Amino acid sequence: MGYPYAIYPRTGYGIYGSGSWYHIARSFGCVGTETSIFNCTFQNDYSLSDYTAGVVCSAFPMHVSVRLTNGSHPAEGRVEVYYNNTWGTVCDEGWDIRDANVVCRMLGFPHAIDAKSAAFFGEGAGPVWLSNLQCSGNESDISECSHSGWGVQNCGHNRDIGVVCTEHPQTQDIRLVDGQHPAEGRVEMYNPNTGLYGAIHSSGWDLNVAQVVCRMLGYPYAIYTRRGSGIYGSGSWYSIAYSFGCVGTETSIYNCTFYNYYSSTTYTAAIVCSAFPMSISVRLADGSHPAEGRVEVYYNNTWGTVCDEGWDCDEGWDIKDAHVICRMLGFHHAVDAKSAAFFGEGAGPVWLTNLQCSGNES
């Protein structure tokens, strides 16, 4: 009928009058996303009745206002939602960092760094408007996210959600420190509660997370990750996050799942990013340490391998070629050139064979 959404349904005897009292359908089953009521299930029922259905539609576009209250600074607090002319709260069922990112952007902040639950910023008042909010993290308004329905919940205010937003651009919220060059080092995140940077605990740290961090910092991809005690130094020994879950295609680490972890630790996460364009990228895989492994080449948006034809011979790939590979990865030179899948068989296309370098190429 052209209205953006329903405010509430009405059912009963004589709702908005009874008309002819002659109804033709009942027991509608709709998910709510259908484009037509005829796409829902229903039963035909040609009989007289004065128990009729009505609805109140909104004549205005769906726009939800949010605010933060009871925080120690403007970028944090209990999330309150203005709906149907009333301020209310949101239940923490299903609440995570992706939902928090949407709320922060609605308020003009770049992104969220923490999603609080269990009335962390105190219990609110009024209705609990939303529950089971599920956002991808890219929405511009929480009204675009799926949820249980306005006012449909089974929560008390002891489960009110909160959020901590950052006022910094994302590239300023993460950095690499104590590396030999700018593209490597211990990964640290900014903590707005202290105004300081803290390390990331290396639990769950993998190459997918490293890829996202490298792209955030302007590098094309991650060569490898490092984790352990005192990698690139331990900094303050104060870890603020752990157990990241990234697919590897995210544009920001804040679009991944993670847990805040404010605790002292020396077991920190570190990465080495490539400073070279993806069209001429190489990496080492399956070695026992970062300076060895199967050579893999990125070409045509796909990782592949290199054939050992001519390896250690006058023609094809030899130690001179290996020197070039090692320098591309930031090492001084090669000490050995392995063949016959010494580090295990790779996958994908075999991109190169009979590679011939003088050894001086960059």
Side-chain angles (χ1 to χ4, degrees):
M1 300 187 73
Y3 300 107
Y5 64 98
I7 298 174
Y8 55 87
R10 300 191 68 184
T11 60
Y13 292 99
I15 296 297
Y16 299 113
S18 55
S20 66
W21 292 15
Y22 193 78
H23 68 253
I24 62 172
R26 64 183 174 91
S27 299
F28 280 84
C30 299
V31 176
T33 57
E34 296 87 353
T35 57
S36 169
I37 197 171
F38 296 101
N39 293 333
C40 305
T41 60
F42 63 91
Q43 298 177 12
N44 292 306
D45 183 14
Y46 303 103
S47 64
L48 294 173
S49 173
D50 59 355
Y51 198 80
T52 56
V55 66
V56 179
C57 299
S58 172
F60 302 96
M62 172 68 95
H63 175 73
V64 178
S65 296
V66 295
R67 68 183 181 187
L68 303 182
T69 59
N70 285 3
S72 60
H73 56 80
E76 70 172 19
R78 181 177 62 250
V79 177
E80 297 190 347
V81 178
Y82 190 77
Y83 177 76
N84 199 24
N85 297 318
T86 304
W87 284 103
T89 61
V90 179
C91 176
D92 63 7
E93 183 177 358
W95 175 250
D96 63 19
I97 194 68
R98 292 168 295 187
D99 310 317
N101 279 330
V102 178
V103 170
C104 288
R105 284 199 303 273
M106 288 180 69
L107 294 167
F109 301 108
H111 61 90
I113 59 173
D114 201 358
K116 299 293 188 181
S117 59
F120 182 88
F121 292 105
E123 297 185 8
V128 179
W129 278 129
L130 291 171
S131 179
N132 200 26
L133 191 65
Q134 297 182 33
C135 304
S136 69
N138 298 317
E139 296 85 354
S140 57
D141 192 299
I142 57 172
S143 64
E144 300 171 14
C145 307
S146 65
H147 51 79
S148 297
W150 290 99
V152 179
Q153 45 75 33
N154 189 28
C155 290
H157 285 295
N158 62 324
R159 295 187 63 182
D160 286 345
I161 65 168
V163 70
V164 180
C165 304
T166 179
E167 300 178 73
H168 291 74
Q170 292 183 3
T171 53
Q172 295 180 13
D173 278 337
I174 196 158
R175 68 183 186 183
L176 303 181
V177 297
D178 292 342
Q180 294 182 357
H181 56 80
E184 69 172 5
R186 184 178 66 255
V187 183
E188 293 190 342
M189 293 176 65
Y190 180 76
N191 182 357
N193 296 317
T194 63
L196 303 172
Y197 284 86
I200 293 177
H201 194 284
S202 59
S203 173
W205 189 260
D206 61 16
L207 190 60
N208 287 337
V209 190
Q211 302 287 12
V212 178
V213 173
C214 288
R215 286 197 302 272
M216 284 182 68
L217 294 171
Y219 301 108
Y221 69 101
I223 298 172
Y224 55 85
T225 64
R226 301 189 68 185
R227 59 182 189 175
S229 180
I231 298 297
Y232 295 109
S234 53
S236 65
W237 293 13
Y238 196 74
S239 174
I240 65 172
Y242 80 107
S243 196
F244 279 86
C246 299
V247 176
T249 58
E250 296 85 353
T251 57
S252 168
I253 198 172
Y254 296 100
N255 292 334
C256 306
T257 59
F258 64 92
Y259 297 95
N260 291 99
Y261 179 69
Y262 302 104
S263 176
S264 296
T265 184
T266 60
Y267 205 71
T268 55
I271 59 176
V272 178
C273 302
S274 172
F276 294 91
M278 286 295 253
S279 58
I280 53 170
S281 297
V282 295
R283 69 183 181 187
L284 303 181
D286 292 340
S288 61
H289 57 80
E292 69 173 20
R294 181 178 59 255
V295 176
E296 296 186 343
V297 178
Y298 191 83
Y299 175 75
N300 198 26
N301 296 319
T302 304
W303 284 103
T305 60
V306 179
C307 177
D308 66 359
E309 183 179 355
W311 188 267
D312 276 341
C313 301
D314 292 336
E315 296 181 356
W317 197 333
D318 59 15
I319 194 66
K320 294 178 289 185
D321 309 315
H323 285 323
V324 176
I325 294 294
C326 288
R327 283 200 303 274
M328 287 182 68
L329 295 169
F331 303 110
H332 296 291
H333 59 87
V335 296
D336 200 357
K338 298 293 187 182
S339 59
F342 182 87
F343 292 104
E345 295 184 6
V350 179
W351 281 129
L352 294 171
T353 187
N354 278 321
L355 188 64
Q356 298 182 37
C357 300
S358 69
N360 299 317
E361 296 85 354
S362 59

